[in-house]
Amino acid sequence: MDWGLKNRLSRIIKPEDERAVMLAVDHGYFLGPTEKLEVPRRTIKPLLPYADALMLTRGILRTSVDASFPIPVVLRVSGGSSIIGKDLSNEKITTSIKEAIKLNVSAVAMSIFVGSAHEHQSLVSLAKLVDEGEDHGIPVLAVTAVGKELEKRDARYLSLSCRIAAEFGAHIVKTYYCEDFESVVNSCPIPVIIAGGPKLSEKDAIDLTYNAIKSGAAGVDMGRNIWQSDHPVPMIKAVRAIVHENATAPEAYDLFKKLSAKTQTTTV
Ligand code: 5RP
């Protein structure tokens, strides 16, 4: 692997433990002003110190994150459909590698839609993005499926998507946790990280994180289950404890409860 690409990857997946806590705040690119992400700066700022990397679009990076804050950026570069449009899978590359370099990003990210009407388009876009990324030492994170594709959240479908992403040269793949997640990880030769998906109870989101890490995930790229919590900072700290400190699910949930009780007392 080229030195620059390796260096950028190591900013995201920490070499000490080969794990990562990424904070995903790119939802607005197809969902608009998502609940609790209406004012991105307000949501992002308190969480920045606890994230290893931040995943977002160029618009939110430029308007809502201070350029002086030293956080590795994973730039979403695909889009083109909205939640009220005809087909969420109809995405193309929306941001150039030149722009990604200008923004000093550590990786670029795009979605692939295996099994959808636009499967071919998204996979060819991935191949092109990997070529361009490799030319400039920029890793590519492939995101497997959103929207309707979530209905197919089983190990067979997610193994297929993740493996195809790896075959096309992606450097990291982000997917969803499912039963038999080991088989997804074991058949994918690149690091697999999980999205949190729609908001769950904090306990369930912590269990999900623990189960994914136990099954071999390299970390999380989590959004709503962190910033839609009433206690986002305690939540990201609990997730960190699992990912980087090998906390068990009950230990992480106890930490969450302790920290959120403290937040409540200090804000009363
Ligand atoms: C959408 C994305 C989001 O970043 C991803 O879904 C992670 O967020 P959440 O944990 O809220 O699911 O890539 O395509």
Side-chain angles (χ1 to χ4, degrees), residues 151-258:
E151 290 156 21
K152 303 177 194 158
R153 199 197 284 205
D154 65 24
R156 202 157 160 240
Y157 173 73
L158 296 177
S159 299
L160 176 74
S161 291
C162 290
R163 178 59 175 267
I164 290 175
E167 299 270 353
F168 273 65
H171 304 92
I172 312 175
V173 65
K174 161 161 126 173
T175 192
Y176 294 92
Y177 179 72
C178 61
E179 253 177 58
D180 190 24
F181 196 65
E182 287 91 345
S183 70
V184 179
V185 173
N186 291 340
S187 58
C188 182
I190 56 172
V192 178
I193 57 175
I194 59 145
K199 175 83 173 68
L200 305 166
S201 72
E202 280 79 3
K203 187 177 177 309
D204 286 350
I206 283 169
D207 285 346
L208 177 97
T209 305
Y210 176 76
N211 290 333
I213 296 296
K214 196 178 69 176
S215 308
V220 300
D221 183 16
M222 199 173 266
R224 289 162 288 180
N225 277 294
I226 291 175
W227 39 261
Q228 284 183 345
S229 167
D230 287 339
H231 303 286
V233 170
M235 193 57 193
I236 197 170
K237 286 185 171 175
V239 168
R240 277 195 82 82
I242 295 170
V243 174
H244 285 306
E245 291 151 39
N246 290 318
T248 62
E251 284 166 351
Y253 188 54
D254 280 351
L255 178 69
F256 169 76
K257 282 192 296 190
K258 203 175 91 199

Side-chain angles (χ1 to χ4, degrees), residues 64-210:
S64 312
V65 183
D66 292 334
S68 58
F69 195 89
I71 184 138
V73 167
V74 178
L75 189 70
R76 170 169 284 279
V77 298
S78 71
S81 297
S82 80
I83 192 72
I84 60 163
K86 270 207 196 105
D87 184 351
L88 265 185
S89 74
N90 195 1
E91 280 196 3
K92 286 194 174 162
I93 299 299
T94 50
T95 309
S96 68
I97 279 282
K98 193 171 160 199
E99 171 80 333
I101 294 166
K102 267 169 73 182
L103 291 168
N104 195 28
V105 308
S106 296
V108 288
M110 64 164 288
S111 295
I112 57 169
F113 296 90
V114 172
S116 77
H118 296 92
E119 170 184 270
H120 176 75
Q121 174 180 309
S122 70
L123 292 177
V124 173
S125 294
L126 174 62
K128 284 191 185 151
L129 190 65
V130 169
D131 281 345
E132 286 182 85
E134 292 273 352
D135 279 349
H136 296 92
I138 300 183
V140 175
L141 182 153
V143 181
T144 71
V146 286
K148 272 200 161 211
E149 303 306 316
L150 266 183
E151 290 156 21
K152 303 177 194 158
R153 199 197 284 205
D154 65 24
R156 202 157 160 240
Y157 173 73
L158 296 177
S159 299
L160 176 74
S161 291
C162 290
R163 178 59 175 267
I164 290 175
E167 299 270 353
F168 273 65
H171 304 92
I172 312 175
V173 65
K174 161 161 126 173
T175 192
Y176 294 92
Y177 179 72
C178 61
E179 253 177 58
D180 190 24
F181 196 65
E182 287 91 345
S183 70
V184 179
V185 173
N186 291 340
S187 58
C188 182
I190 56 172
V192 178
I193 57 175
I194 59 145
K199 175 83 173 68
L200 305 166
S201 72
E202 280 79 3
K203 187 177 177 309
D204 286 350
I206 283 169
D207 285 346
L208 177 97
T209 305
Y210 176 76

Side-chain angles (χ1 to χ4, degrees), residues 14 21-24 47-54 69-72 236 240 244:
K14 299 292 161 199
V21 174
M22 288 171 54
L23 180 67
L47 295 168
L48 277 182
Y50 310 105
D52 297 325
L54 188 61
F69 195 89
I71 184 138
I236 197 170
R240 277 195 82 82
H244 285 306

